[in-house]
């Protein structure tokens, strides 16, 4: 069965950096054919799209609130997608989820994402 396992979260001071990892397994075909996204959810707020890497071409997308600070990438040999987070702000504090969907839909919407990890907490003070 499909599994997404996140790691790399933690506590950091404002201005610091973290790198989140998402190891993907269980697909009968290469996960690179799919869209892999990072979402986050802060207490009392809706789940928000952060970034995604899409399809075989690896097109990268980032949300406006993190553009220029966060970078998404993948290592196909390790079945791993990374989220490099620099210049962290207190408003980046949230539970960060890795998720995957078939390509073709809007990467920003949770609709279509059908496999989710358990999440990794990021706290910026």
């Amino acid at each position: 069965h499909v599994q997404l396992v996140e790691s790399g979260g933690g506590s950091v001071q404002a201005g610091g950096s973290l790198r989140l990892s998402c190891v993907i397994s269980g697909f009968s075909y290469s996960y690179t054919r799919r869209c892999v996204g990072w979402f986050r959810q802060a207490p009392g707020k809706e789940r928000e799209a952060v970034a995604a890497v899409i399809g075989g071409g690896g097109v990268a997308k980032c949300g406006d609130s993190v553009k220029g600070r966060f970078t998404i990438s993948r290592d196909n040999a390790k079945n791993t997608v990374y989220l490099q987070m620099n210049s962290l702000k207190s408003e980046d504090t949230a539970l960060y989820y890795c998720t995957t969907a078939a390509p073709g839909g809007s990467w920003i919407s949770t609709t279509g994402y059908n496999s989710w990890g358990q999440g990794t907490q990021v706290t910026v003070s």
Side-chain angles (χ1 to χ4, degrees):
H1 66 285
V2 175
Q3 276 192 310
L4 296 90
V5 180
E6 304 101 331
S7 62
S11 297
V12 65
Q13 291 188 335
S17 299
L18 285 172
R19 188 177 78 159
L20 305 184
S21 300
C22 173
V23 179
I24 302 165
S25 63
F27 283 106
S28 59
Y29 54 90
S30 175
Y31 81 95
T32 60
R33 292 168 58 184
R34 299 177 63 84
C35 171
V36 179
W38 285 96
F39 281 70
R40 66 186 182 186
Q41 190 165 19
K45 294 188 177 181
E46 292 188 355
R47 197 165 290 192
E48 174 193 15
V50 176
V53 58
I54 303 169
V59 175
K61 301 286 188 181
C62 275
D64 289 341
S65 62
V66 305
K67 201 165 290 183
R69 300 188 297 122
F70 291 12
T71 303
I72 189 169
S73 62
R74 68 187 185 196
D75 185 331
N76 296 345
K78 295 182 178 180
N79 285 359
T80 302
V81 173
Y82 301 100
L83 184 67
Q84 178 67 43
M85 306 186 296
N86 299 328
S87 302
L88 283 162
K89 306 175 181 180
S90 58
E91 50 263 45
D92 295 318
T93 294
L95 189 59
Y96 283 71
Y97 297 92
C98 180
T99 180
T100 182
S106 169
W107 74 274
I108 296 176
S109 171
T110 56
T111 302
Y113 287 98
N114 51 17
S115 298
W116 293 80
Q118 293 299 306
T120 185
Q121 178 67 38
V122 171
T123 303
V124 184
S125 59

PDB file of all heavy atoms in Angstrom, residues 29-70:
ATOM      1  N   TYR A  29       4.099   1.952  -9.992  1.00  0.00           N
ATOM      2  CA  TYR A  29       4.798   2.659 -11.054  1.00  0.00           C
ATOM      3  C   TYR A  29       5.575   3.797 -10.406  1.00  0.00           C
ATOM      4  O   TYR A  29       5.413   4.060  -9.211  1.00  0.00           O
ATOM      5  CB  TYR A  29       3.802   3.192 -12.094  1.00  0.00           C
ATOM      6  CG  TYR A  29       2.705   4.048 -11.508  1.00  0.00           C
ATOM      7  CD1 TYR A  29       2.863   5.430 -11.374  1.00  0.00           C
ATOM      8  CD2 TYR A  29       1.514   3.479 -11.066  1.00  0.00           C
ATOM      9  CE1 TYR A  29       1.868   6.207 -10.816  1.00  0.00           C
ATOM     10  CE2 TYR A  29       0.522   4.253 -10.501  1.00  0.00           C
ATOM     11  CZ  TYR A  29       0.700   5.616 -10.390  1.00  0.00           C
ATOM     12  OH  TYR A  29      -0.285   6.388  -9.832  1.00  0.00           O
ATOM     13  N   SER A  30       6.400   4.480 -11.181  1.00  0.00           N
ATOM     14  CA  SER A  30       7.209   5.538 -10.595  1.00  0.00           C
ATOM     15  C   SER A  30       6.348   6.669 -10.063  1.00  0.00           C
ATOM     16  O   SER A  30       5.466   7.177 -10.756  1.00  0.00           O
ATOM     17  CB  SER A  30       8.194   6.088 -11.618  1.00  0.00           C
ATOM     18  OG  SER A  30       8.886   7.196 -11.066  1.00  0.00           O
ATOM     19  N   TYR A  31       6.619   7.061  -8.821  1.00  0.00           N
ATOM     20  CA  TYR A  31       5.857   8.157  -8.217  1.00  0.00           C
ATOM     21  C   TYR A  31       6.093   9.467  -8.966  1.00  0.00           C
ATOM     22  O   TYR A  31       5.310  10.406  -8.827  1.00  0.00           O
ATOM     23  CB  TYR A  31       6.260   8.324  -6.744  1.00  0.00           C
ATOM     24  CG  TYR A  31       7.542   9.111  -6.552  1.00  0.00           C
ATOM     25  CD1 TYR A  31       7.526  10.470  -6.300  1.00  0.00           C
ATOM     26  CD2 TYR A  31       8.778   8.482  -6.658  1.00  0.00           C
ATOM     27  CE1 TYR A  31       8.682  11.186  -6.144  1.00  0.00           C
ATOM     28  CE2 TYR A  31       9.953   9.193  -6.513  1.00  0.00           C
ATOM     29  CZ  TYR A  31       9.900  10.542  -6.255  1.00  0.00           C
ATOM     30  OH  TYR A  31      11.059  11.251  -6.120  1.00  0.00           O
ATOM     31  N   THR A  32       7.167   9.525  -9.756  1.00  0.00           N
ATOM     32  CA  THR A  32       7.459  10.773 -10.464  1.00  0.00           C
ATOM     33  C   THR A  32       6.399  11.094 -11.511  1.00  0.00           C
ATOM     34  O   THR A  32       6.349  12.212 -12.022  1.00  0.00           O
ATOM     35  CB  THR A  32       8.838  10.720 -11.135  1.00  0.00           C
ATOM     36  OG1 THR A  32       8.865   9.628 -12.071  1.00  0.00           O
ATOM     37  CG2 THR A  32       9.938  10.528 -10.107  1.00  0.00           C
ATOM     38  N   ARG A  33       5.557  10.146 -11.839  1.00  0.00           N
ATOM     39  CA  ARG A  33       4.460  10.414 -12.773  1.00  0.00           C
ATOM     40  C   ARG A  33       3.330  11.179 -12.099  1.00  0.00           C
ATOM     41  O   ARG A  33       2.433  11.672 -12.766  1.00  0.00           O
ATOM     42  CB  ARG A  33       3.929   9.106 -13.342  1.00  0.00           C
ATOM     43  CG  ARG A  33       4.927   8.386 -14.263  1.00  0.00           C
ATOM     44  CD  ARG A  33       4.511   6.973 -14.577  1.00  0.00           C
ATOM     45  NE  ARG A  33       3.201   6.917 -15.201  1.00  0.00           N
ATOM     46  CZ  ARG A  33       2.566   5.778 -15.502  1.00  0.00           C
ATOM     47  NH1 ARG A  33       3.144   4.618 -15.221  1.00  0.00           N
ATOM     48  NH2 ARG A  33       1.393   5.803 -16.069  1.00  0.00           N
ATOM     49  N   ARG A  34       3.403  11.274 -10.778  1.00  0.00           N
ATOM     50  CA  ARG A  34       2.329  11.914 -10.035  1.00  0.00           C
ATOM     51  C   ARG A  34       2.738  13.313  -9.581  1.00  0.00           C
ATOM     52  O   ARG A  34       3.862  13.748  -9.738  1.00  0.00           O
ATOM     53  CB  ARG A  34       1.981  11.063  -8.813  1.00  0.00           C
ATOM     54  CG  ARG A  34       1.496   9.676  -9.165  1.00  0.00           C
ATOM     55  CD  ARG A  34       1.228   8.857  -7.938  1.00  0.00           C
ATOM     56  NE  ARG A  34       0.179   9.388  -7.092  1.00  0.00           N
ATOM     57  CZ  ARG A  34      -1.114   9.170  -7.266  1.00  0.00           C
ATOM     58  NH1 ARG A  34      -1.528   8.437  -8.286  1.00  0.00           N
ATOM     59  NH2 ARG A  34      -2.005   9.668  -6.423  1.00  0.00           N
ATOM     60  N   CYS A  35       1.776  13.990  -8.996  1.00  0.00           N
ATOM     61  CA  CYS A  35       2.048  15.263  -8.336  1.00  0.00           C
ATOM     62  C   CYS A  35       2.327  14.971  -6.863  1.00  0.00           C
ATOM     63  O   CYS A  35       1.545  14.252  -6.226  1.00  0.00           O
ATOM     64  CB  CYS A  35       0.832  16.170  -8.476  1.00  0.00           C
ATOM     65  SG  CYS A  35       0.898  17.679  -7.489  1.00  0.00           S
ATOM     66  N   VAL A  36       3.398  15.474  -6.339  1.00  0.00           N
ATOM     67  CA  VAL A  36       3.695  15.341  -4.910  1.00  0.00           C
ATOM     68  C   VAL A  36       3.716  16.734  -4.307  1.00  0.00           C
ATOM     69  O   VAL A  36       4.437  17.611  -4.788  1.00  0.00           O
ATOM     70  CB  VAL A  36       5.038  14.635  -4.669  1.00  0.00           C
ATOM     71  CG1 VAL A  36       5.327  14.543  -3.163  1.00  0.00           C
ATOM     72  CG2 VAL A  36       5.025  13.239  -5.286  1.00  0.00           C
ATOM     73  N   GLY A  37       2.901  16.926  -3.302  1.00  0.00           N
ATOM     74  CA  GLY A  37       2.770  18.253  -2.715  1.00  0.00           C
ATOM     75  C   GLY A  37       3.054  18.288  -1.234  1.00  0.00           C
ATOM     76  O   GLY A  37       3.018  17.259  -0.548  1.00  0.00           O
ATOM     77  N   TRP A  38       3.376  19.468  -0.764  1.00  0.00           N
ATOM     78  CA  TRP A  38       3.478  19.756   0.665  1.00  0.00           C
ATOM     79  C   TRP A  38       2.345  20.723   1.013  1.00  0.00           C
ATOM     80  O   TRP A  38       2.172  21.753   0.352  1.00  0.00           O
ATOM     81  CB  TRP A  38       4.809  20.389   1.015  1.00  0.00           C
ATOM     82  CG  TRP A  38       5.969  19.448   1.027  1.00  0.00           C
ATOM     83  CD1 TRP A  38       6.861  19.228   0.014  1.00  0.00           C
ATOM     84  CD2 TRP A  38       6.378  18.608   2.103  1.00  0.00           C
ATOM     85  NE1 TRP A  38       7.794  18.294   0.403  1.00  0.00           N
ATOM     86  CE2 TRP A  38       7.522  17.896   1.681  1.00  0.00           C
ATOM     87  CE3 TRP A  38       5.899  18.381   3.390  1.00  0.00           C
ATOM     88  CZ2 TRP A  38       8.184  16.980   2.504  1.00  0.00           C
ATOM     89  CZ3 TRP A  38       6.559  17.479   4.194  1.00  0.00           C
ATOM     90  CH2 TRP A  38       7.681  16.783   3.756  1.00  0.00           C
ATOM     91  N   PHE A  39       1.603  20.366   2.047  1.00  0.00           N
ATOM     92  CA  PHE A  39       0.585  21.236   2.604  1.00  0.00           C
ATOM     93  C   PHE A  39       0.941  21.504   4.065  1.00  0.00           C
ATOM     94  O   PHE A  39       1.711  20.766   4.666  1.00  0.00           O
ATOM     95  CB  PHE A  39      -0.801  20.575   2.528  1.00  0.00           C
ATOM     96  CG  PHE A  39      -1.439  20.646   1.177  1.00  0.00           C
ATOM     97  CD1 PHE A  39      -0.939  19.912   0.112  1.00  0.00           C
ATOM     98  CD2 PHE A  39      -2.563  21.432   0.963  1.00  0.00           C
ATOM     99  CE1 PHE A  39      -1.532  19.971  -1.144  1.00  0.00           C
ATOM    100  CE2 PHE A  39      -3.173  21.503  -0.287  1.00  0.00           C
ATOM    101  CZ  PHE A  39      -2.657  20.771  -1.333  1.00  0.00           C
ATOM    102  N   ARG A  40       0.346  22.524   4.638  1.00  0.00           N
ATOM    103  CA  ARG A  40       0.532  22.785   6.053  1.00  0.00           C
ATOM    104  C   ARG A  40      -0.785  23.225   6.670  1.00  0.00           C
ATOM    105  O   ARG A  40      -1.659  23.755   5.983  1.00  0.00           O
ATOM    106  CB  ARG A  40       1.609  23.845   6.287  1.00  0.00           C
ATOM    107  CG  ARG A  40       1.252  25.243   5.776  1.00  0.00           C
ATOM    108  CD  ARG A  40       2.452  26.174   5.936  1.00  0.00           C
ATOM    109  NE  ARG A  40       2.151  27.526   5.500  1.00  0.00           N
ATOM    110  CZ  ARG A  40       3.052  28.497   5.419  1.00  0.00           C
ATOM    111  NH1 ARG A  40       4.331  28.262   5.744  1.00  0.00           N
ATOM    112  NH2 ARG A  40       2.698  29.707   5.034  1.00  0.00           N
ATOM    113  N   GLN A  41      -0.881  22.978   7.962  1.00  0.00           N
ATOM    114  CA  GLN A  41      -2.086  23.380   8.684  1.00  0.00           C
ATOM    115  C   GLN A  41      -1.706  23.866  10.067  1.00  0.00           C
ATOM    116  O   GLN A  41      -1.119  23.119  10.867  1.00  0.00           O
ATOM    117  CB  GLN A  41      -3.085  22.222   8.778  1.00  0.00           C
ATOM    118  CG  GLN A  41      -4.440  22.648   9.305  1.00  0.00           C
ATOM    119  CD  GLN A  41      -5.485  21.595   9.044  1.00  0.00           C
ATOM    120  OE1 GLN A  41      -5.198  20.425   8.788  1.00  0.00           O
ATOM    121  NE2 GLN A  41      -6.748  22.003   9.086  1.00  0.00           N
ATOM    122  N   ALA A  42      -2.037  25.116  10.329  1.00  0.00           N
ATOM    123  CA  ALA A  42      -1.826  25.701  11.649  1.00  0.00           C
ATOM    124  C   ALA A  42      -3.109  25.555  12.455  1.00  0.00           C
ATOM    125  O   ALA A  42      -4.198  25.441  11.879  1.00  0.00           O
ATOM    126  CB  ALA A  42      -1.446  27.168  11.510  1.00  0.00           C
ATOM    127  N   PRO A  43      -3.033  25.569  13.779  1.00  0.00           N
ATOM    128  CA  PRO A  43      -4.222  25.431  14.616  1.00  0.00           C
ATOM    129  C   PRO A  43      -5.282  26.472  14.270  1.00  0.00           C
ATOM    130  O   PRO A  43      -4.978  27.669  14.149  1.00  0.00           O
ATOM    131  CB  PRO A  43      -3.687  25.636  16.029  1.00  0.00           C
ATOM    132  CG  PRO A  43      -2.266  25.218  15.954  1.00  0.00           C
ATOM    133  CD  PRO A  43      -1.806  25.631  14.593  1.00  0.00           C
ATOM    134  N   GLY A  44      -6.511  26.005  14.045  1.00  0.00           N
ATOM    135  CA  GLY A  44      -7.605  26.908  13.755  1.00  0.00           C
ATOM    136  C   GLY A  44      -7.659  27.420  12.332  1.00  0.00           C
ATOM    137  O   GLY A  44      -8.506  28.247  11.992  1.00  0.00           O
ATOM    138  N   LYS A  45      -6.756  26.947  11.484  1.00  0.00           N
ATOM    139  CA  LYS A  45      -6.722  27.408  10.100  1.00  0.00           C
ATOM    140  C   LYS A  45      -6.935  26.244   9.137  1.00  0.00           C
ATOM    141  O   LYS A  45      -6.760  25.081   9.497  1.00  0.00           O
ATOM    142  CB  LYS A  45      -5.382  28.090   9.803  1.00  0.00           C
ATOM    143  CG  LYS A  45      -5.168  29.384  10.582  1.00  0.00           C
ATOM    144  CD  LYS A  45      -3.933  30.109  10.098  1.00  0.00           C
ATOM    145  CE  LYS A  45      -3.758  31.442  10.824  1.00  0.00           C
ATOM    146  NZ  LYS A  45      -2.555  32.176  10.331  1.00  0.00           N
ATOM    147  N   GLU A  46      -7.297  26.586   7.907  1.00  0.00           N
ATOM    148  CA  GLU A  46      -7.487  25.570   6.878  1.00  0.00           C
ATOM    149  C   GLU A  46      -6.130  25.064   6.380  1.00  0.00           C
ATOM    150  O   GLU A  46      -5.109  25.753   6.478  1.00  0.00           O
ATOM    151  CB  GLU A  46      -8.281  26.145   5.712  1.00  0.00           C
ATOM    152  CG  GLU A  46      -9.727  26.457   6.049  1.00  0.00           C
ATOM    153  CD  GLU A  46     -10.531  26.838   4.817  1.00  0.00           C
ATOM    154  OE1 GLU A  46      -9.934  26.950   3.733  1.00  0.00           O
ATOM    155  OE2 GLU A  46     -11.754  27.017   4.953  1.00  0.00           O
ATOM    156  N   ARG A  47      -6.159  23.858   5.822  1.00  0.00           N
ATOM    157  CA  ARG A  47      -4.948  23.295   5.246  1.00  0.00           C
ATOM    158  C   ARG A  47      -4.576  24.117   4.007  1.00  0.00           C
ATOM    159  O   ARG A  47      -5.408  24.406   3.160  1.00  0.00           O
ATOM    160  CB  ARG A  47      -5.179  21.825   4.894  1.00  0.00           C
ATOM    161  CG  ARG A  47      -3.904  21.051   4.671  1.00  0.00           C
ATOM    162  CD  ARG A  47      -4.170  19.554   4.693  1.00  0.00           C
ATOM    163  NE  ARG A  47      -4.497  19.091   6.039  1.00  0.00           N
ATOM    164  CZ  ARG A  47      -4.547  17.809   6.384  1.00  0.00           C
ATOM    165  NH1 ARG A  47      -4.304  16.867   5.488  1.00  0.00           N
ATOM    166  NH2 ARG A  47      -4.852  17.462   7.614  1.00  0.00           N
ATOM    167  N   GLU A  48      -3.303  24.469   3.917  1.00  0.00           N
ATOM    168  CA  GLU A  48      -2.820  25.391   2.890  1.00  0.00           C
ATOM    169  C   GLU A  48      -1.769  24.718   2.021  1.00  0.00           C
ATOM    170  O   GLU A  48      -0.846  24.058   2.540  1.00  0.00           O
ATOM    171  CB  GLU A  48      -2.206  26.624   3.571  1.00  0.00           C
ATOM    172  CG  GLU A  48      -1.527  27.605   2.640  1.00  0.00           C
ATOM    173  CD  GLU A  48      -0.681  28.633   3.375  1.00  0.00           C
ATOM    174  OE1 GLU A  48      -0.378  28.433   4.572  1.00  0.00           O
ATOM    175  OE2 GLU A  48      -0.296  29.637   2.739  1.00  0.00           O
ATOM    176  N   ALA A  49      -1.881  24.895   0.714  1.00  0.00           N
ATOM    177  CA  ALA A  49      -0.867  24.358  -0.194  1.00  0.00           C
ATOM    178  C   ALA A  49       0.410  25.166  -0.075  1.00  0.00           C
ATOM    179  O   ALA A  49       0.377  26.399  -0.082  1.00  0.00           O
ATOM    180  CB  ALA A  49      -1.373  24.382  -1.616  1.00  0.00           C
ATOM    181  N   VAL A  50       1.533  24.474   0.046  1.00  0.00           N
ATOM    182  CA  VAL A  50       2.829  25.142   0.180  1.00  0.00           C
ATOM    183  C   VAL A  50       3.629  25.035  -1.112  1.00  0.00           C
ATOM    184  O   VAL A  50       4.109  26.039  -1.636  1.00  0.00           O
ATOM    185  CB  VAL A  50       3.631  24.521   1.342  1.00  0.00           C
ATOM    186  CG1 VAL A  50       5.014  25.152   1.432  1.00  0.00           C
ATOM    187  CG2 VAL A  50       2.875  24.682   2.655  1.00  0.00           C
ATOM    188  N   ALA A  51       3.782  23.821  -1.617  1.00  0.00           N
ATOM    189  CA  ALA A  51       4.584  23.608  -2.829  1.00  0.00           C
ATOM    190  C   ALA A  51       4.238  22.249  -3.411  1.00  0.00           C
ATOM    191  O   ALA A  51       3.677  21.398  -2.726  1.00  0.00           O
ATOM    192  CB  ALA A  51       6.079  23.680  -2.512  1.00  0.00           C
ATOM    193  N   ALA A  52       4.585  22.071  -4.675  1.00  0.00           N
ATOM    194  CA  ALA A  52       4.369  20.780  -5.316  1.00  0.00           C
ATOM    195  C   ALA A  52       5.386  20.593  -6.434  1.00  0.00           C
ATOM    196  O   ALA A  52       5.870  21.569  -7.019  1.00  0.00           O
ATOM    197  CB  ALA A  52       2.948  20.677  -5.878  1.00  0.00           C
ATOM    198  N   VAL A  53       5.679  19.334  -6.694  1.00  0.00           N
ATOM    199  CA  VAL A  53       6.497  18.972  -7.851  1.00  0.00           C
ATOM    200  C   VAL A  53       5.652  18.009  -8.678  1.00  0.00           C
ATOM    201  O   VAL A  53       5.065  17.056  -8.144  1.00  0.00           O
ATOM    202  CB  VAL A  53       7.848  18.363  -7.432  1.00  0.00           C
ATOM    203  CG1 VAL A  53       7.699  17.138  -6.561  1.00  0.00           C
ATOM    204  CG2 VAL A  53       8.713  18.102  -8.650  1.00  0.00           C
ATOM    205  N   ILE A  54       5.567  18.298  -9.981  1.00  0.00           N
ATOM    206  CA  ILE A  54       4.524  17.678 -10.793  1.00  0.00           C
ATOM    207  C   ILE A  54       5.097  16.894 -11.961  1.00  0.00           C
ATOM    208  O   ILE A  54       5.813  17.439 -12.802  1.00  0.00           O
ATOM    209  CB  ILE A  54       3.556  18.752 -11.317  1.00  0.00           C
ATOM    210  CG1 ILE A  54       2.953  19.534 -10.141  1.00  0.00           C
ATOM    211  CG2 ILE A  54       2.450  18.110 -12.157  1.00  0.00           C
ATOM    212  CD1 ILE A  54       2.204  20.771 -10.558  1.00  0.00           C
ATOM    213  N   GLY A  55       4.742  15.625 -12.029  1.00  0.00           N
ATOM    214  CA  GLY A  55       4.972  14.813 -13.208  1.00  0.00           C
ATOM    215  C   GLY A  55       6.421  14.536 -13.543  1.00  0.00           C
ATOM    216  O   GLY A  55       7.348  14.911 -12.815  1.00  0.00           O
ATOM    217  N   GLY A  56       6.572  13.860 -14.707  1.00  0.00           N
ATOM    218  CA  GLY A  56       7.897  13.452 -15.119  1.00  0.00           C
ATOM    219  C   GLY A  56       8.860  14.595 -15.330  1.00  0.00           C
ATOM    220  O   GLY A  56      10.064  14.455 -15.104  1.00  0.00           O
ATOM    221  N   GLY A  57       8.335  15.749 -15.736  1.00  0.00           N
ATOM    222  CA  GLY A  57       9.195  16.907 -15.942  1.00  0.00           C
ATOM    223  C   GLY A  57       9.629  17.581 -14.668  1.00  0.00           C
ATOM    224  O   GLY A  57      10.523  18.426 -14.678  1.00  0.00           O
ATOM    225  N   GLY A  58       9.013  17.216 -13.561  1.00  0.00           N
ATOM    226  CA  GLY A  58       9.392  17.792 -12.278  1.00  0.00           C
ATOM    227  C   GLY A  58       9.119  19.268 -12.160  1.00  0.00           C
ATOM    228  O   GLY A  58       9.888  20.005 -11.527  1.00  0.00           O
ATOM    229  N   VAL A  59       8.028  19.742 -12.738  1.00  0.00           N
ATOM    230  CA  VAL A  59       7.690  21.163 -12.637  1.00  0.00           C
ATOM    231  C   VAL A  59       7.414  21.503 -11.178  1.00  0.00           C
ATOM    232  O   VAL A  59       6.634  20.828 -10.510  1.00  0.00           O
ATOM    233  CB  VAL A  59       6.449  21.484 -13.491  1.00  0.00           C
ATOM    234  CG1 VAL A  59       6.029  22.933 -13.297  1.00  0.00           C
ATOM    235  CG2 VAL A  59       6.745  21.214 -14.960  1.00  0.00           C
ATOM    236  N   ALA A  60       8.064  22.545 -10.683  1.00  0.00           N
ATOM    237  CA  ALA A  60       7.931  22.936  -9.281  1.00  0.00           C
ATOM    238  C   ALA A  60       6.999  24.129  -9.151  1.00  0.00           C
ATOM    239  O   ALA A  60       7.070  25.068  -9.944  1.00  0.00           O
ATOM    240  CB  ALA A  60       9.295  23.271  -8.694  1.00  0.00           C
ATOM    241  N   LYS A  61       6.139  24.072  -8.156  1.00  0.00           N
ATOM    242  CA  LYS A  61       5.211  25.158  -7.859  1.00  0.00           C
ATOM    243  C   LYS A  61       5.376  25.545  -6.399  1.00  0.00           C
ATOM    244  O   LYS A  61       5.571  24.689  -5.549  1.00  0.00           O
ATOM    245  CB  LYS A  61       3.772  24.719  -8.103  1.00  0.00           C
ATOM    246  CG  LYS A  61       3.470  24.260  -9.514  1.00  0.00           C
ATOM    247  CD  LYS A  61       3.395  25.420 -10.473  1.00  0.00           C
ATOM    248  CE  LYS A  61       2.896  24.961 -11.841  1.00  0.00           C
ATOM    249  NZ  LYS A  61       2.838  26.091 -12.800  1.00  0.00           N
ATOM    250  N   CYS A  62       5.261  26.826  -6.092  1.00  0.00           N
ATOM    251  CA  CYS A  62       5.307  27.297  -4.719  1.00  0.00           C
ATOM    252  C   CYS A  62       4.201  28.306  -4.484  1.00  0.00           C
ATOM    253  O   CYS A  62       3.898  29.118  -5.367  1.00  0.00           O
ATOM    254  CB  CYS A  62       6.649  27.962  -4.420  1.00  0.00           C
ATOM    255  SG  CYS A  62       7.946  26.816  -3.940  1.00  0.00           S
ATOM    256  N   GLY A  63       3.620  28.252  -3.286  1.00  0.00           N
ATOM    257  CA  GLY A  63       2.597  29.200  -2.938  1.00  0.00           C
ATOM    258  C   GLY A  63       3.168  30.605  -2.742  1.00  0.00           C
ATOM    259  O   GLY A  63       4.352  30.760  -2.430  1.00  0.00           O
ATOM    260  N   ASP A  64       2.326  31.610  -2.876  1.00  0.00           N
ATOM    261  CA  ASP A  64       2.781  32.990  -2.794  1.00  0.00           C
ATOM    262  C   ASP A  64       3.402  33.303  -1.437  1.00  0.00           C
ATOM    263  O   ASP A  64       4.354  34.085  -1.357  1.00  0.00           O
ATOM    264  CB  ASP A  64       1.614  33.942  -3.063  1.00  0.00           C
ATOM    265  CG  ASP A  64       1.181  33.928  -4.520  1.00  0.00           C
ATOM    266  OD1 ASP A  64       1.975  33.478  -5.378  1.00  0.00           O
ATOM    267  OD2 ASP A  64       0.053  34.368  -4.795  1.00  0.00           O
ATOM    268  N   SER A  65       2.900  32.692  -0.380  1.00  0.00           N
ATOM    269  CA  SER A  65       3.383  33.021   0.964  1.00  0.00           C
ATOM    270  C   SER A  65       4.791  32.487   1.234  1.00  0.00           C
ATOM    271  O   SER A  65       5.441  32.926   2.182  1.00  0.00           O
ATOM    272  CB  SER A  65       2.414  32.486   2.019  1.00  0.00           C
ATOM    273  OG  SER A  65       2.338  31.076   1.942  1.00  0.00           O
ATOM    274  N   VAL A  66       5.257  31.558   0.406  1.00  0.00           N
ATOM    275  CA  VAL A  66       6.585  30.980   0.637  1.00  0.00           C
ATOM    276  C   VAL A  66       7.521  31.177  -0.537  1.00  0.00           C
ATOM    277  O   VAL A  66       8.691  30.777  -0.470  1.00  0.00           O
ATOM    278  CB  VAL A  66       6.485  29.478   0.968  1.00  0.00           C
ATOM    279  CG1 VAL A  66       5.562  29.256   2.151  1.00  0.00           C
ATOM    280  CG2 VAL A  66       6.019  28.675  -0.241  1.00  0.00           C
ATOM    281  N   LYS A  67       7.036  31.778  -1.591  1.00  0.00           N
ATOM    282  CA  LYS A  67       7.845  31.949  -2.803  1.00  0.00           C
ATOM    283  C   LYS A  67       9.114  32.752  -2.480  1.00  0.00           C
ATOM    284  O   LYS A  67       9.060  33.762  -1.784  1.00  0.00           O
ATOM    285  CB  LYS A  67       7.013  32.645  -3.872  1.00  0.00           C
ATOM    286  CG  LYS A  67       7.507  32.444  -5.287  1.00  0.00           C
ATOM    287  CD  LYS A  67       6.428  32.855  -6.306  1.00  0.00           C
ATOM    288  CE  LYS A  67       5.277  31.888  -6.305  1.00  0.00           C
ATOM    289  NZ  LYS A  67       4.259  32.235  -7.321  1.00  0.00           N
ATOM    290  N   GLY A  68      10.223  32.248  -2.967  1.00  0.00           N
ATOM    291  CA  GLY A  68      11.499  32.907  -2.701  1.00  0.00           C
ATOM    292  C   GLY A  68      12.173  32.435  -1.433  1.00  0.00           C
ATOM    293  O   GLY A  68      13.355  32.732  -1.202  1.00  0.00           O
ATOM    294  N   ARG A  69      11.437  31.714  -0.586  1.00  0.00           N
ATOM    295  CA  ARG A  69      12.008  31.212   0.677  1.00  0.00           C
ATOM    296  C   ARG A  69      12.055  29.687   0.706  1.00  0.00           C
ATOM    297  O   ARG A  69      12.976  29.103   1.271  1.00  0.00           O
ATOM    298  CB  ARG A  69      11.180  31.713   1.860  1.00  0.00           C
ATOM    299  CG  ARG A  69      11.121  33.222   1.983  1.00  0.00           C
ATOM    300  CD  ARG A  69      10.454  33.652   3.279  1.00  0.00           C
ATOM    301  NE  ARG A  69       9.067  33.221   3.352  1.00  0.00           N
ATOM    302  CZ  ARG A  69       8.578  32.449   4.322  1.00  0.00           C
ATOM    303  NH1 ARG A  69       9.363  32.013   5.288  1.00  0.00           N
ATOM    304  NH2 ARG A  69       7.293  32.116   4.330  1.00  0.00           N
ATOM    305  N   PHE A  70      11.057  29.038   0.130  1.00  0.00           N
ATOM    306  CA  PHE A  70      10.963  27.576   0.137  1.00  0.00           C
ATOM    307  C   PHE A  70      11.256  27.038  -1.257  1.00  0.00           C
ATOM    308  O   PHE A  70      10.888  27.655  -2.269  1.00  0.00           O
ATOM    309  CB  PHE A  70       9.571  27.115   0.541  1.00  0.00           C
ATOM    310  CG  PHE A  70       9.198  27.371   1.975  1.00  0.00           C
ATOM    311  CD1 PHE A  70       9.942  28.187   2.811  1.00  0.00           C
ATOM    312  CD2 PHE A  70       8.056  26.749   2.512  1.00  0.00           C
ATOM    313  CE1 PHE A  70       9.586  28.404   4.122  1.00  0.00           C
ATOM    314  CE2 PHE A  70       7.682  26.955   3.826  1.00  0.00           C
ATOM    315  CZ  PHE A  70       8.447  27.791   4.626  1.00  0.00           C
TER     316      PHE A  70
END
